[in-house]
Amino acid sequence: SDLLLNASAEPEVISFGKRTHFVTCFCESDTLLSLWRAYAGNAGGYCLGFDYSCLKHHMCWPDPKVGQSFPLLVPVHYGNTPESIRRYLTAVCRSESSAGGLSSALSPFFPSMIKHEAFVEEREWRIVALDPPVEQMKFRPGSANIRPFVELSWLYLGKPRGKLPLASITFGPTLRPEDRPEEIIGWMLEGNGYTGVAVRPSDIPFRL
């Protein structure tokens, strides 16, 4: 992975070698019309809300290996490299030993933490997982290619928990109330052992 530190006439580029980044993307808001249109089948889909604390503090690999980096939940920075990240990277570039453990541990994640400023309205967060072993990869068909992915686990009282840390489900503005989506989603959650998950309709206006 390579990262551009600034946009000056002679930009400084730091290379982290060949690292494999697996990324899951989230949004801070469930009311962005552009995301409903782009990802939810003409706004007839569903927005899943997750418990931040669980994602942040209890996420892990299903079978972690010695020396393997834990997945990291981080906000995306838009535009030029933020000053805080630039300082970390400069320290790592100058002297790995003087950069400190935290800088060294975080620096490989930085290339997946920065995005073009044109996407700033998305207010994106990402789970970044580095270098999963091939035996932990799974595969699914994509639109034009085979898509590799990995599954993560959440710890509860020190033990892996199979269920997602769901906090809410918002269903799209084009779903018809007379079809009772709220009730049906509630049945599905109950049938799969989920409790305390808020189910609500999106309150944004939408016109096809």
Side-chain angles (χ1 to χ4, degrees):
S1 300
D2 294 335
L3 184 63
L4 183 68
L5 280 189
N6 54 59
S8 62
E10 295 183 359
E12 181 181 2
V13 177
I14 293 179
S15 176
F16 297 103
K18 187 177 181 180
R19 305 298 300 266
T20 303
H21 289 224
F22 277 63
V23 176
T24 301
C25 303
F26 302 85
C27 177
E28 291 183 8
S29 173
D30 63 358
T31 59
L32 286 182
L33 190 55
S34 59
L35 295 187
W36 279 106
R37 284 174 167 160
Y39 299 109
N42 287 325
Y46 306 88
C47 176
L48 307 183
F50 295 94
D51 182 283
Y52 169 81
S53 179
C54 186
L55 289 180
K56 182 72 174 178
H57 300 294
H58 303 289
M59 179 175 50
C60 66
W61 292 103
D63 183 22
K65 307 295 184 183
V66 175
Q68 185 176 21
S69 299
F70 268 70
L72 191 67
L73 175 65
V74 290
V76 169
H77 298 274
Y78 297 91
N80 290 337
T81 310
E83 178 65 19
S84 58
I85 292 180
R86 190 192 63 78
R87 288 198 303 268
Y88 278 138
L89 292 175
T90 300
V92 172
C93 183
R94 288 175 180 169
S95 173
E96 187 69 25
S97 60
S98 65
L102 179 62
S103 299
S104 299
L106 290 179
S107 59
F109 292 91
F110 290 155
S112 288
M113 294 167 58
I114 300 170
K115 196 170 182 179
H116 193 280
E117 59 189 3
F119 296 94
V120 67
E121 76 157 1
E122 293 181 357
R123 295 156 59 188
E124 185 177 339
W125 286 66
R126 289 177 171 179
I127 294 176
V128 184
L130 293 179
D131 301 323
V134 173
E135 60 268 22
Q136 290 188 6
M137 295 182 189
K138 298 185 177 182
F139 303 88
R140 62 176 176 81
S143 58
N145 201 352
I146 298 172
R147 306 293 294 180
F149 68 96
V150 293
E151 294 181 348
L152 302 178
S153 294
W154 285 264
L155 296 178
Y156 180 71
L157 299 179
K159 297 181 180 180
R161 186 178 184 183
K163 292 181 174 58
L164 292 169
L166 272 177
S168 66
I169 296 181
T170 304
F171 55 90
T174 61
L175 293 181
R176 300 183 301 178
E178 58 268 26
D179 288 337
R180 304 187 301 171
E182 191 168 353
E183 184 177 17
I184 294 172
I185 294 170
W187 291 341
M188 182 180 66
L189 289 169
E190 183 179 352
N192 286 277
Y194 284 92
T195 59
V197 179
V199 180
R200 56 179 177 262
S202 172
D203 58 2
I204 62 174
F206 186 89
R207 178 177 294 177
L208 289 176

